[in-house]
């Protein structure tokens, strides 16, 4: 039985902050898990160091399900992003250990490959429609089968999801949150034009996606979905804040544009009604923020019963450890839909050497035992933590608005 002898939290900032948990066993094998919660990183580091790690020492590292239940039920205070990210980090690290001890990549332990690779989508961002389409062309030329389109909105100084950087978009910055300004009417006028021009320029062989970032009411989202129907989107993401799961009924009544939601969900309970009533088509919960591989499999199993497919969040604030876990999960799960992929910077890739790769728009986790990702601790130590926040959003009259 491999006993857990120690566990450590490693905080590093190779261009952005990452929190990683490393669990060591008496069999000389260790595992790592991502514990990064964008803008609230140190809360998870403390939760792990002060409350979780003391409970892990001496436990059998093979008992992944039991340790998951012990941390979830044992906390008394269930769910929430901090708790579930901490549990996810432990869970990932334990799957990594189990894979290494078995001499198998984690996807083999999850039932083996259900496909040759995981289809991913890249991010095409531009300050205007022409620039967005130009970036989308670059992805298509690289073999991507799916691209997310976001463009600056005329009349708004800045639009979330759009950056000057070509490939390495990083939304968290500044020692205090940046304040941005939002106008729903300007946005709703602009987006159909973006997709109209994109279809003209890119044709119909590439999947197109769009992220609303939770900024519409359900009826506004219904209208946008309807306006976008002629352009056959792969999905419309985070159309409305999802605390009110029943709100998606209203969107569904008005549009057949497929809906995706879930990047800020942290448990199956956040998505239960959405899935059971078939109010969404893709569930975007992730390994790192929704309790690890163990819990994400449970969410995917419920989703599978209702023809809902996976579409895991994969922005740059999810570390390469998360990406490796997502790809092992995605390769094996029967109802895989798509995986988001934003490239990490070369500095981040150097800190987290990994076996996953991309070819022809499909990603594969590689065949190294475990998750297939490591952390270079000496290099990680060179990048000191820097407090950084996601922006906040106000209406033009100054009213605090949805993120
Ligand atoms: O990748 C996406 O779909 C996002 O919406 C990115 C998020 O804003 C980002 O990961 C927040 O931390
Ligand atoms: Mg999103």
């Amino acid at each position: 039985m491999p006993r857990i002898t120690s566990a450590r939290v490693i905080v590093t900032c190779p261009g952005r902050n990452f929190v990683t948990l490393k669990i060591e066993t008496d069999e000389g094998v260790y595992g790592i898990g991502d514990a990064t919660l964008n803008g609230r990183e140190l809360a998870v580091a403390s939760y792990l160091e002060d409350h979780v790690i003391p409970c892990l020492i001496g436990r059998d590292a093979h008992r992944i399900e039991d340790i998951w239940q012990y941390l979830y039920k044992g906390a008394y205070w269930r769910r929430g992003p901090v708790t579930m990210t901490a549990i996810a980090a432990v869970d990932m690290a334990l799957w990594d250990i189990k894979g290494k001890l078995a001499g198998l990549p984690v996807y083999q332990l999850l039932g083996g490959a259900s496909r040759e690779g995981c289809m991913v989508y890249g991010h095409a961002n531009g300050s205007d429609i022409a620039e967005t389409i130009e970036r989308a062309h670059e992805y298509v030329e690289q073999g991507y089968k799916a691209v997310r389109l976001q463009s600056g909105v005329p009349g708004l100084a800045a639009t979330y999801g759009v950056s000057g950087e070509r490939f390495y978009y990083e939304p968290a910055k500044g020692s205090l949150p940046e304040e941005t300004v939002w106008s729903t009417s300007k946005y709703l006028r602009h987006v159909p034009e973006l997709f109209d021009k994109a279809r003209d320029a890119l044709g119909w062989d590439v999947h197109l996606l769009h992220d609303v970032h939770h900024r519409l009411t359900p009826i506004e989202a219904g209208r946008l979905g309807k306006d976008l129907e002629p352009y056959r989107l792969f999905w419309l993401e985070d159309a409305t804040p999802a605390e009110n799961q029943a709100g998606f009924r209203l969107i569904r009544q008005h549009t057949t544009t497929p809906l995706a939601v879930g990047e800020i969900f942290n448990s199956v309970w956040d998505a239960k009604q959405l899935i059971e009533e078939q109010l969404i088509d893709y569930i975007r919960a992730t390994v790192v923020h929704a309790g690890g591989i163990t819990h994400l499999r449970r969410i995917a199993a419920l989703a599978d019963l209702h023809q809902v497919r996976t579409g895991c969040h994969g922005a740059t604030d999810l570390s390469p450890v998360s990406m490796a876990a997502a790809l092992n999960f995605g390769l094996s799960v029967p109802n895989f839909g798509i995986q988001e992929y934003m490239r990490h910077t070369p500095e981040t890739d150097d800190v987290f050497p990994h076996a996953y790769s991309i070819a022809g728009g499909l990603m594969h986790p590689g065949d190294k035992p475990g998750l297939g990702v490591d952390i270079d601790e000496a290099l990680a130590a060179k990048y000191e933590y820097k407090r950084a926040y996601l922006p906040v959003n106000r209406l033009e009259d100054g009213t605090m608005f949805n993120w």
Side-chain angles (χ1 to χ4, degrees):
M1 177 210 333
R3 279 204 186 279
I4 297 174
T5 49
S6 70
R8 269 176 305 119
V9 175
I10 303 155
V11 180
T12 181
C13 186
R16 70 144 6 268
N17 294 316
F18 293 111
V19 179
T20 309
L21 176 70
K22 182 168 184 172
I23 297 181
E24 287 167 320
T25 67
D26 59 2
E27 299 196 8
V29 167
Y30 64 85
I32 56 174
D34 185 18
T36 310
L37 185 62
N38 204 4
R40 298 292 186 269
E41 296 87 357
L42 298 184
V44 186
S46 156
Y47 190 104
L48 283 165
E49 277 169 349
D50 297 327
H51 307 290
V52 170
I53 289 175
C55 301
L56 294 177
I57 309 304
R59 288 187 182 277
D60 176 359
H62 268 327
R63 297 182 63 170
I64 298 177
E65 182 68 44
D66 182 65
I67 291 177
W68 195 96
Q69 300 292 339
Y70 173 77
L71 295 175
Y72 181 79
K73 294 177 176 159
Y76 186 68
W77 313 104
R78 296 184 186 189
R79 305 188 280 153
V82 174
T83 295
M84 296 305 277
T85 301
I87 294 177
V90 174
D91 188 77
M92 269 182 257
L94 295 180
W95 280 105
D96 193 24
I97 290 170
K98 196 181 275 297
K100 285 175 178 166
L101 288 171
L104 290 170
V106 167
Y107 75 82
Q108 294 290 11
L109 306 179
L110 303 178
S114 293
R115 54 196 54 79
E116 302 312 313
C118 301
M119 177 168 71
V120 294
Y121 67 91
H123 282 213
N125 312 312
S127 55
D128 58 20
I129 292 177
E131 198 185 353
T132 303
I133 293 174
E134 196 185 308
R135 299 268 164 90
H137 270 301
E138 292 169 5
Y139 280 101
V140 173
E141 278 156 23
Q142 289 167 41
Y144 279 73
K145 299 178 189 310
V147 188
R148 187 187 99 163
L149 306 184
Q150 308 291 133
S151 127
V153 175
L156 294 183
T159 308
Y160 185 80
V162 175
S163 79
E165 288 278 339
R166 221 167 173 73
F167 293 118
Y168 307 115
Y169 182 53
E170 182 43 71
K173 48 184 179 255
S175 58
L176 285 174
E178 183 193 352
E179 304 235 343
T180 57
V181 176
W182 176 253
S183 158
T184 297
S185 56
K186 288 180 177 134
Y187 170 76
L188 285 179
R189 276 202 301 275
H190 179 68
V191 180
E193 190 190 338
L194 166 65
F195 281 89
D196 188 43
K197 297 211 164 117
R199 277 299 179 210
D200 273 350
L202 301 164
W204 295 86
D205 288 337
V206 57
H207 295 302
L208 299 181
L209 300 82
H210 182 68
D211 191 348
V212 183
H213 292 297
H214 327 261
R215 289 183 180 179
L216 299 176
T217 62
I219 198 68
E220 289 163 349
R223 178 145 69 86
L224 179 62
K226 203 183 221 174
D227 289 348
L228 293 175
E229 278 172 20
Y231 313 113
R232 298 286 188 271
L233 265 62
F234 186 90
W235 79 34
L236 187 66
E237 175 182 334
D238 288 345
T240 194
E243 289 98 326
N244 174 19
Q245 297 186 39
F248 277 71
R249 289 185 187 143
L250 197 52
I251 311 178
R252 271 295 205 228
Q253 282 163 18
H254 293 282
T255 181
T256 55
T257 292
L259 302 174
V261 71
E263 67 181 48
I264 64 168
F265 290 179
N266 45 67
S267 86
V268 69
W269 302 99
D270 294 327
K272 187 172 175 288
Q273 184 179 8
L274 290 169
I275 292 172
E276 286 176 346
E277 291 187 25
Q278 297 191 264
L279 300 177
I280 54 170
D281 302 280
Y282 296 92
I283 177 70
R284 283 181 41 72
T286 59
V287 174
V288 58
H289 299 135
I293 292 172
T294 298
H295 194 64
L296 198 58
R297 288 179 91 201
R298 200 153 282 142
I299 296 174
L302 177 67
D304 195 27
L305 300 182
H306 301 278
Q307 288 91 34
V308 175
R309 291 187 283 161
T310 66
C312 297
H313 186 203
T316 40
D317 49 298
L318 285 76
S319 89
V321 184
S322 271
M323 184 51 68
L327 292 171
N328 277 281
F329 165 78
L331 199 67
S332 67
V333 71
N335 51 329
F336 173 80
I338 199 167
Q339 169 67 48
E340 180 179 14
Y341 176 48
M342 280 175 85
R343 262 181 272 178
H344 288 111
T345 59
E347 292 79 14
T348 296
D349 283 340
D350 287 346
V351 170
F352 297 97
H354 50 76
Y356 59 77
S357 60
I358 181 164
L362 303 184
M363 290 187 78
H364 194 283
D367 279 301
K368 276 207 167 155
L371 292 174
V373 61
D374 208 344
I375 182 163
D376 180 335
E377 287 192 65
L379 196 54
K382 294 193 178 148
Y383 298 104
E384 213 174 296
Y385 169 79
K386 276 200 207 92
R387 193 174 72 223
Y389 291 95
L390 286 162
V392 295
N393 199 27
R394 291 185 189 276
L395 298 180
E396 287 166 306
D397 69 359
T399 307
M400 192 72 215
F401 196 56
N402 294 318
W403 179 85

